[in-house]
Amino acid sequence: MLWVMQFSGFFSAAMLMIVLSPSFQSFPPAEAIRSSHLHAYLRLPSYQVSSSPYSPLDRFSFRKASEFGNADKCRSTDHKITGVCDPSLVHVAITLDVEYLRGSIAAVHSILQHSLCPENVFFHFLVSDTDLETLVRSTFPQLKFKAYYFDPAIVRNLISSSVRQALEQPLNYARNYLADLLEPCVRRVIYLDSDLVVVDDIAKLWSTNLGSRTIGAPEYCHANFTKYFTSGFWSAERFSGTFKGRKPCYFNTGVMVIDLVKWRRVGYTKRIERWMEIQKIDRIYELGSLPPFLLVFAGRVAPIEHRWNQHGLGGDNVRGSCRGLHPGPVSLLHWSGSGKPWDRLDSRRPCPLDALWAPYDLYRHSH
């Protein structure tokens, strides 16, 4: 009863959903695309195969999503999408793992719900468990997607301890390798974290003009940038000098538009890895996978409207306390921080804005 009283108190937040989502349309099913392409980062080691009849995935059951199809304004139906290299596709990359699986499924669902042309969205799933592909296909039978196994060994020796253990998981660093993982014909990709929902047409974010920049993201120049690095970093010119000639601003790496052609040409993966190697020796930051991106890209980011990353809804990295929306319009809600909406809803201690995540949740609770 207490939970019911709490949740009813969040009616105003739920009503905001009507504003964020003026229409939910149902269209004919999209055509599924499959690919058998594998390369170095997709090798499947022998230890992935288990003789146990039980899997951590056994505890997950999701409802099948409604069918979706393109609106009349999309490209003519005479054009048949032929594969991942089709130039009409919008490419979205998301990680899939057992811990955040429920969030990832909700994120995909939200994108399909709000896309004018959902048949033109191709999902690139970075996975730590190859069994996840079957689960995704059963939940979204018509989805265009491909699963890429990311070998944790690639980054295991580069990861240093963080303020929160979840930030130390190897899959958090898979975004560093998108240019290597994805097919060379994929020239641009939207990277999204698993703890968010999109409440606008993803094609609008896709069309971001990056200009001469390699990545685009909402920047927050009012944030105290110095706190993302240790005092030892700022006192050593050989480290802090990397920002000389730049005007670095904080940006959240959970929502990025990436020009993969420029990334590959410059070799940004190696630059990020180099800072991770330095961190192992000199301890120049505390926050997992974010600081290396700031070191390489801060001050060199194509700015995107803040509406595309209403972040911090998961509270801080320790308590996960409730937070409200930032002023302004909303196209994407992001529960960055330690508090996740699915955990708080299940514990019957939700925050007001968790009511905006719930409609996209396809998880089937056991009774």
Side-chain angles (χ1 to χ4, degrees):
M1 178 60 71
L2 177 60
W3 177 77
V4 173
M5 292 174 65
Q6 287 177 322
F7 202 83
S8 64
F10 302 151
F11 180 74
S12 59
M15 286 298 293
L16 180 57
M17 195 65 186
I18 299 174
V19 178
L20 298 177
S21 173
S23 64
F24 290 89
Q25 301 176 354
S26 180
F27 303 112
E31 178 188 2
I33 290 180
R34 301 189 182 190
S35 171
S36 59
H37 175 75
L38 295 173
H39 56 66
Y41 287 106
L42 293 171
R43 60 185 182 277
L44 303 180
S46 58
Y47 59 73
Q48 281 296 109
V49 180
S50 172
S51 59
S52 172
Y54 302 105
S55 164
L57 298 180
D58 292 342
R59 63 187 175 96
F60 288 100
S61 178
F62 293 94
R63 304 187 304 278
K64 187 168 74 171
S66 301
E67 295 179 347
F68 296 91
N70 286 352
D72 293 339
K73 294 181 180 179
C74 302
R75 179 178 284 203
S76 169
T77 54
D78 293 337
H79 173 80
K80 185 177 179 63
I81 294 176
T82 55
V84 68
C85 295
D86 192 289
S88 68
L89 291 172
V90 171
H91 296 276
V92 178
I94 300 178
T95 59
L96 287 181
D97 68 346
V98 172
E99 189 70 22
Y100 285 87
L101 180 60
R102 191 167 161 190
S104 298
I105 294 294
V108 172
H109 191 207
S110 71
I111 292 170
L112 296 174
Q113 284 273 11
H114 293 280
S115 292
L116 192 66
C117 309
E119 295 179 63
N120 293 4
V121 182
F122 193 102
F123 290 89
H124 303 263
F125 294 120
L126 314 178
V127 303
S128 56
D129 188 323
T130 55
D131 291 339
L132 290 169
E133 182 175 355
T134 302
L135 189 149
V136 171
R137 196 170 298 284
S138 65
T139 307
F140 303 103
Q142 289 79 35
L143 195 70
K144 294 180 175 69
F145 77 93
K146 178 179 171 182
Y148 303 75
Y149 176 74
F150 181 71
D151 187 353
I154 295 170
V155 293
R156 185 170 287 123
N157 292 332
L158 292 172
I159 297 174
S160 56
S161 60
S162 181
V163 295
R164 184 157 56 92
Q165 189 172 6
L167 300 177
E168 301 171 19
Q169 299 306 310
L171 203 58
N172 284 342
Y173 297 84
R175 74 192 84 185
N176 302 358
Y177 299 89
L178 283 169
D180 301 307
L181 288 166
L182 274 54
E183 288 78 358
C185 65
V186 180
R187 301 172 62 86
R188 169 183 285 218
V189 68
I190 297 171
Y191 175 82
L192 298 176
D193 272 352
S194 301
D195 52 357
L196 55 76
V197 292
V198 177
V199 293
D200 203 344
D201 192 342
I202 196 72
K204 297 177 184 177
L205 181 59
W206 174 257
S207 64
T208 297
N209 181 6
L210 297 181
S212 62
R213 305 303 190 185
T214 302
I215 69 169
E219 290 184 296
Y220 303 90
C221 296
H222 64 279
N224 179 9
F225 191 78
T226 60
K227 72 178 182 179
Y228 295 102
F229 302 95
T230 64
S231 58
F233 171 88
W234 292 113
S235 62
E237 173 65 22
R238 63 193 178 105
F239 298 144
S240 60
T242 191
F243 292 120
K244 187 175 181 180
R246 293 198 252 168
K247 294 182 179 179
C249 294
Y250 162 75
F251 65 94
N252 181 282
T253 53
V255 179
M256 295 186 291
V257 181
I258 305 174
D259 185 326
L260 295 175
V261 176
K262 292 177 182 174
W263 184 296
R264 293 171 181 131
R265 184 170 65 242
V266 177
Y268 282 116
T269 297
K270 292 297 183 184
R271 295 191 184 189
I272 290 173
E273 286 181 334
R274 178 55 185 152
W275 280 113
M276 293 175 68
E277 291 168 354
I278 291 172
Q279 161 73 356
K280 293 288 287 187
I281 300 171
D282 292 289
R283 194 67 184 179
I284 56 177
Y285 56 80
E286 305 287 349
L287 273 174
S289 61
L290 168 64
F293 263 85
L294 296 179
L295 287 161
V296 173
F297 292 110
R300 299 167 178 163
V301 175
I304 294 176
E305 287 183 272
H306 289 178
R307 67 188 301 150
W308 285 104
N309 196 351
Q310 283 271 349
H311 68 290
L313 303 184
D316 59 27
N317 282 311
V318 180
R319 297 187 301 274
S321 53
C322 296
R323 290 184 179 175
L325 291 174
H326 307 292
V330 180
S331 292
L332 185 150
L333 298 156
H334 188 185
W335 279 262
S336 56
S338 61
K340 302 306 174 187
W342 54 90
D343 290 332
R344 296 192 297 214
L345 287 165
D346 285 354
S347 66
R348 300 187 176 184
R349 301 177 66 179
C351 292
L353 292 177
D354 296 344
L356 302 181
W357 179 88
Y360 304 104
D361 184 18
L362 292 174
Y363 181 67
R364 193 194 307 272
H365 290 271
S366 58
H367 298 286

